[in-house]
């Protein structure tokens, strides 16, 4: 874990970071589904899951997987005090995340560019979220505004 976030200048294209792991619990899924209103039977009705789902266990929505991945990335300290804004990106869910799966994220710095403003730059990251079997379950290309060194 980094003591402070990397400034724009400290970001090196090609550098990779790996997060700690986090196991997805039933409580995580139920809380997220209720908070966000995901009233799909796949997430809320275990009789439906037992009868109709391919997985026979409670599944996590892709949005929850992305949120958990972002939390793991924040825990690395990579953007503490230097991340200024999330600017969006591309997201692809590539596999299911089920109750009891353990996730980690590999973060690679793939691009960086200066802006007209002297206090910031734009950094592009590639996030690869894997489960405990090493299977990729989510890929994202994310851009963030990052503070420059003073």
């Amino acid at each position: 874990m980094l003591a402070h976030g990397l400034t724009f200048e400290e970001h090196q294209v090609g550098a990779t970071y790996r997060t700690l792991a986090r196991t997805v619990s039933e409580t995580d899924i139920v809380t997220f589904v209720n908070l966000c209103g995901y009233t799909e039977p796949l997430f809320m009705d275990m009789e439906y899951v037992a009868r109709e789902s391919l997985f026979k266990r409670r599944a996590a929505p892709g949005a929850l997987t992305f949120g958990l991945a972002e939390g793991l990335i924040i825990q690395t300290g990579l953007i503490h005090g230097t991340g200024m804004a999330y600017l969006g990106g591309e997201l692809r869910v590539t596999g299911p995340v089920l109750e009891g799966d353990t996730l980690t994220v590999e973060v690679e710095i793939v691009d960086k560019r200066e802006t007209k403003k002297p206090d910031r730059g734009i950094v592009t990251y590639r996030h690869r979220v894997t489960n405990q079997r090493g299977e990729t379950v989510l890929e994202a290309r994310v851009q963030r505004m990052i503070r420059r060194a003073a």
Side-chain angles (χ1 to χ4, degrees):
M1 174 141 14
L2 300 172
H4 68 84
L6 299 178
T7 64
F8 176 78
E9 293 81 5
E10 292 172 316
H11 278 78
Q12 299 298 318
V13 172
T16 60
Y17 301 87
R18 189 159 198 81
T19 70
L20 297 172
R22 185 185 195 295
T23 301
V24 181
S25 71
E26 179 179 27
T27 301
D28 295 329
I29 297 169
V30 170
T31 301
F32 181 85
V33 163
N34 284 313
L35 177 67
C36 296
Y38 283 51
T39 57
E40 171 66 35
L42 180 63
F43 305 127
M44 300 186 70
D45 180 348
M46 291 310 294
E47 292 301 317
Y48 173 86
V49 169
R51 192 176 59 252
E52 302 289 335
S53 170
L54 297 174
F55 310 115
K56 308 304 180 203
R57 289 190 295 166
R58 193 179 298 276
L64 173 58
T65 302
F66 178 73
L68 293 173
E70 285 290 287
L72 287 167
I73 292 164
I74 288 170
Q75 290 174 22
T76 66
L78 189 62
I79 58 174
H80 280 308
T82 58
M84 298 173 72
Y86 173 84
L87 301 176
E90 300 169 12
L91 176 72
R92 192 168 79 106
V93 177
T94 59
V97 172
L98 305 174
E99 172 192 348
D101 282 353
T102 300
L103 306 177
T104 59
V105 185
E106 179 184 270
V107 179
E108 179 184 0
I109 299 167
V110 295
D111 190 37
K112 67 184 222 181
R113 65 180 172 82
E114 296 184 7
T115 65
K116 293 178 184 176
K117 308 249 179 178
D119 63 340
R120 65 194 78 166
I122 307 299
V123 177
T124 304
Y125 305 87
R126 182 187 62 82
H127 300 171
R128 189 169 79 88
V129 182
T130 56
N131 64 19
Q132 68 276 12
R133 292 178 298 281
E135 300 164 338
T136 301
V137 295
L138 186 141
E139 296 174 322
R141 186 175 176 91
V142 171
Q143 289 189 318
R144 297 184 195 281
M145 184 181 298
I146 301 294
R147 187 178 314 280
R148 294 186 69 123

